[in-house]
Amino acid sequence: MEFRTVAETFKKLESTSERLELISTLASLFQKADASNIHMLIYLLQGRVAPPYTGIEIGMGEKLVEEAIARAYGVDRSEVERLYKEMGDLGLVAEHLASQKKQMTLFSEPLTLERVYNNFYKIATASGPGVVDKKVRLLADLLKDATPLEARYIVRIPLGRLRLGIGDATILEALALAKLGDRRYREDLERAYNYVSDLGYVARLLYEKGLEGIRNVQPVVGIPIRPALAQRASSLEEIMQRMGGECAAEAKYDGFRLQIHKKGDKVWIFSRRLENMTGQFPDITKAVLEQIDADEVIFEGEAIAYNEETGEFYPFQITIQRKRKHGIDKAAEEYPLKLFAFDVMYLNGENLTPKPYAQRREILEKLIKPGKTIEPSEKIIARSVKDLRDFFESCVERGLEGIIAKDLKSPYIAGARKWAWIKYKRTMKSQLSDTLDLVIVGYYKGRGNRAKLGIGGVLVAVYDPKNDVFKTVAKVGSGFTEEQFVQLKELLDKIAVPKKPPRVISKMEPDVWVEPKYVITVLADEITRSPNHTAGWDGERGLALRFPRAVSFVREDKGPEDATTEEELIQMYRQQPHVRVEEGEDNY
Ligand code: AMP
């Protein structure tokens, strides 16, 4: 496929503000691809060359890209820098220089998708002496043969600044439309994606084996499964009712989630966001080899730091220090982790996810040999609200976060937030003291004494997974320190876009729109009805947060699709005691 076609589609996507149009534009591009190159398209669209779990990133800094541009067009670095200052986007600088280079088309071969992808793959995986020069050469090589429009995107890809506003669900929907003729097949593709968390793999499989192949996807050891997520409830009574009078309840540990794969003596450890973190947890790897009695297995648990002397758990702020790239051995010694295993999804060739929780749990308990690092999460079977309350209280007394109730009959539902798991935390006991994880979609320039910071507040949104869009719920202007505001502005300016991104649904107009990328945790006093926000829109009004304040800086462990969902927001709204009394049956 010619890269020109790809660049032209990118341009069209950039000017699209409707999601459905985004999907049909993407679908017609996908129709031009085949089984040999569809994965290349999918990865490049996301500014990648391989799925995130591989850790393979193109990542080139601005300086290197400037160098490649200078080399490709035979100009000085200082000239590239000057143009960058003027235009504010290296993609546009390359486009400009390419258009000035006369007669280029006479000499150059048209670029193909394959060549662009392969060069980026080489850039991402280059290593050893002379690596910097090699990367610059590979990029310059593409730019020399690129048309001006191609050059714009070839430069934006390694900088991670494509900003096309396309999420996983949109890609799946476009694939369904392109190959199966109906967007609704997204569900089948999503199911496959939830097992293998690799959009390129799913796309290739669809092109090679059709719907049949997609429906037969199974988990693969070494490739992370997208995690099951928990719903929330406002009372233990509600939990018991939803569970039908009987359920399991497990302690909810406040650490970080790890998905562990083992095949023979090879171990992989993935974070909740499915990054490969094996190298960061040598102690867990060792424990898996010693304590897990299976040849091939995929299981999950929550890791939490604990004080070996007192046997007490450390707070999250300490546990999180174990997520680090340097000083790993020292940290492992200082803050040993315990891994509380809570589910098993695959064992010796068998996909266990369709099995009911009760059976999976039994299998899990048999897998773990006694030892000091890994143990099954604490669990009871509850048959009454009192059982739940006693267990919840005993967990909280011991400094745990709360409990997670689990439906005994439910399968493991990868990649989705379902009622099979319901969390009930300490903080949920009082009115709206639970926090929301919200995606920043724009910012307001500071006024008054905020003017010097350049930013006065951010417009934030919840996620609507069904439509794969973000709907606004608040303007957050407090909770950040001055320093954080400055830092935030820097981060946001890098992902600023000229107009409302197509996946954002908003009635508000911030001074600067940004690509939905960063998530912050927000606390508010109350959720109220408001005509200004689009989340939970009932035809007349949406829902808004009253007195919102940030309680975290940008969350590194959460992507935009991990944000609080619209459905959760509606639930939180309904669970406010006065709403239940005043409005009775409301519109939801
Ligand atoms: P939350 O992050 O508040 O949505 O709560 C769900 C998270 O709780 C999961 O993603 C896990 O990281 C964590 N967790 C702690 N203990 C358990 C448990 N026993 N079962 C499932 N998840 C748990």
Side-chain angles (χ1 to χ4, degrees):
M1 186 192 282
E2 286 196 2
F3 191 68
R4 194 164 49 93
T5 319
V6 181
E8 277 161 10
T9 308
F10 281 7
K11 186 171 178 210
K12 211 161 156 198
L13 293 172
E14 244 186 301
S15 62
T16 302
S17 55
E18 289 302 321
R19 185 169 172 267
L20 286 183
E21 201 183 316
L22 203 70
I23 291 170
S24 63
T25 308
L26 265 184
S28 46
L29 176 67
F30 290 168
Q31 273 168 344
K32 297 187 186 107
D34 58 36
S36 73
N37 58 18
I38 182 67
H39 66 289
M40 300 180 182
L41 256 188
I42 303 270
Y43 294 139
L44 286 184
L45 261 172
Q46 301 196 304
R48 337 185 44 91
V49 288
Y53 75 82
T54 58
I56 299 178
E57 305 284 341
I58 307 175
M60 269 174 99
E62 285 183 354
K63 294 286 159 250
L64 288 194
V65 174
E66 283 174 3
E67 181 64 35
I69 296 175
R71 239 190 252 186
Y73 302 116
V75 295
D76 277 351
R77 260 286 293 283
S78 56
E79 174 63 2
V80 177
E81 278 168 18
R82 188 188 66 75
L83 286 167
Y84 181 27
K85 272 211 187 93
E86 196 180 299
M87 301 179 152
D89 172 0
L90 282 171
L92 297 180
V93 172
E95 185 173 4
H96 169 76
L97 289 170
S99 67
Q100 293 213 319
K101 199 178 142 194
K102 298 207 176 63
Q103 295 168 315
M104 184 182 64
T105 43
L106 289 182
F107 299 102
S108 58
E109 288 260 305
L111 280 180
T112 60
L113 165 66
E114 286 77 3
R115 186 171 150 209
V116 173
Y117 174 83
N118 286 333
N119 270 30
F120 277 128
Y121 195 88
K122 284 184 202 153
I123 289 175
T125 52
S127 64
V131 58
V132 171
D133 189 61
K134 197 165 158 193
K135 288 185 181 194
V136 171
R137 200 157 25 87
L138 284 162
L139 184 60
D141 179 48
L142 290 178
L143 289 174
K144 274 184 202 148
D145 287 340
T147 64
L149 189 66
E150 288 171 338
R152 181 201 294 184
Y153 297 107
I154 286 174
V155 157
R156 284 184 188 168
I157 289 172
L159 291 171
R161 300 208 188 136
L162 267 183
R163 295 179 211 164
L164 301 174
I166 295 166
D168 295 351
T170 304
I171 290 185
L172 291 173
E173 217 160 306
L175 276 171
L177 183 62
K179 229 29 208 176
L180 303 167
D182 193 326
R183 295 197 287 134
R184 280 172 298 183
Y185 284 108
R186 167 181 143 191
E187 256 177 52
D188 290 278
L189 294 173
E190 214 153 48
R191 184 196 147 273
Y193 177 48
N194 285 338
Y195 276 149
V196 293
S197 59
D198 177 349
L199 286 174
Y201 179 104
V202 172
R204 202 163 37 195
L205 194 69
L206 174 68
Y207 278 55
E208 275 170 6
K209 304 223 167 95
L211 190 56
E212 183 75 12
I214 289 295
R215 288 187 171 156
N216 286 328
V217 168
Q218 302 290 326
V220 183
V221 178
I223 302 184
I225 296 175
R226 301 186 69 229
L229 303 170
Q231 284 282 16
R232 69 180 90 214
S234 59
S235 68
L236 296 169
E237 284 77 7
E238 184 192 343
I239 293 181
M240 210 21 128
Q241 197 190 356
R242 285 191 183 268
M243 290 291 182
E246 187 188 41
C247 62
E250 295 185 19
K252 186 173 192 301
Y253 305 91
D254 195 9
F256 46 79
R257 184 172 188 161
L258 295 179
Q259 187 182 121
I260 295 175
H261 295 224
K262 171 181 185 290
K263 187 175 200 163
D265 55 12
K266 183 157 171 50
V267 173
W268 296 255
I269 302 176
F270 298 103
S271 69
R272 183 180 184 283
R273 292 193 70 184
L274 311 180
E275 297 142 326
N276 189 334
M277 310 202 96
T278 316
Q280 297 183 39
F281 302 111
D283 45 344
I284 302 266
T285 302
K286 188 161 164 272
V288 170
L289 292 172
E290 283 168 7
Q291 285 188 253
I292 299 299
D293 193 9
D295 201 36
E296 272 195 298
V297 66
I298 303 178
F299 73 102
E300 251 184 340
E302 187 88 354
I304 181 165
Y306 76 107
N307 185 332
E308 272 178 318
E309 264 134 50
T310 63
E312 278 171 5
F313 296 121
Y314 282 121
F316 184 69
Q317 288 73 6
I318 299 240
T319 297
I320 201 71
Q321 293 188 32
R322 285 296 315 271
K323 275 197 174 177
R324 55 164 68 216
K325 299 216 164 90
H326 305 286
I328 291 170
D329 290 335
K330 188 163 168 278
E333 210 171 285
E334 218 170 319
Y335 300 118
L337 292 174
K338 259 210 192 298
L339 180 72
F340 290 97
F342 56 73
D343 220 314
V344 57
M345 295 89 100
Y346 184 89
L347 180 64
N348 301 331
E350 191 185 357
N351 176 8
L352 299 180
T353 61
K355 289 195 183 299
Y357 165 86
Q359 268 184 43
R360 296 197 311 278
R361 176 77 197 194
E362 213 174 290
I363 296 171
L364 177 71
E365 284 173 15
K366 282 198 199 124
L367 271 180
I368 306 171
K369 290 194 270 186
K372 76 175 191 348
T373 306
I374 309 176
E375 49 185 276
S377 57
E378 195 180 333
K379 178 206 107 178
I380 61 151
I381 299 287
R383 296 200 171 79
S384 65
V385 174
K386 180 172 181 305
D387 290 349
L388 282 180
R389 179 154 300 119
D390 290 349
F391 185 55
F392 172 74
E393 272 161 16
S394 98
C395 286
V396 170
E397 261 164 39
R398 287 174 290 140
L400 295 167
E401 213 187 357
I403 60 172
I404 300 206
K406 298 191 175 176
D407 182 350
L408 290 161
K409 297 187 238 34
S410 177
Y412 183 92
I413 310 168
R417 193 179 295 286
K418 292 277 151 88
W419 291 104
W421 290 10
I422 310 177
K423 59 188 170 185
Y424 188 74
K425 296 200 264 186
R426 239 175 356 214
T427 46
M428 286 183 195
K429 284 199 294 187
S430 60
Q431 178 187 335
L432 204 70
S433 44
D434 199 22
T435 54
L436 295 98
D437 295 325
L438 303 171
V439 186
I440 302 178
V441 298
Y443 74 80
Y444 294 85
K445 294 183 176 158
R447 278 172 261 284
N449 55 11
R450 290 265 175 83
K452 66 176 190 304
L453 304 174
I455 179 167
V458 289
L459 181 63
V460 291
V462 291
Y463 181 52
D464 163 6
K466 193 157 150 265
N467 298 305
D468 189 27
V469 292
F470 300 93
K471 299 178 175 171
T472 73
V473 67
K475 240 170 98 171
V476 182
S478 65
F480 295 116
T481 62
E482 289 206 353
E483 226 167 48
Q484 283 177 327
F485 264 125
V486 172
Q487 226 180 324
L488 196 59
K489 179 165 186 312
E490 236 170 66
L491 284 176
L492 295 179
D493 281 341
K494 290 209 174 112
I495 54 164
V497 286
K499 58 190 176 56
K500 187 184 75 58
R503 286 198 302 150
V504 174
I505 313 284
S506 175
K507 289 183 165 296
M508 309 279 277
E509 183 78 26
D511 293 325
V512 180
W513 288 107
V514 302
E515 179 195 340
K517 175 170 181 177
Y518 295 123
V519 172
I520 53 171
T521 301
V522 173
L523 194 63
D525 281 5
E526 202 186 342
I527 302 172
T528 56
R529 299 271 198 175
S530 154
N532 298 329
H533 287 285
T534 50
W537 192 256
D538 67 355
E540 282 174 23
R541 286 176 302 172
L543 295 174
L545 301 185
R546 206 157 158 245
F547 301 127
R549 52 218 177 256
V551 291
S552 84
F553 193 59
V554 170
R555 299 270 310 245
E556 279 182 21
D557 58 333
K558 296 219 164 164
E561 283 89 12
D562 297 318
T564 300
T565 62
E566 181 181 36
E567 197 191 331
E568 285 178 281
L569 175 78
I570 294 173
Q571 254 179 50
M572 289 169 82
Y573 169 72
R574 295 177 68 176
Q575 283 164 2
Q576 297 178 127
H578 68 281
V579 172
R580 274 186 275 169
V581 179
E582 277 172 24
E583 302 204 4
E585 283 293 300
D586 58 51
N587 297 346
Y588 294 114

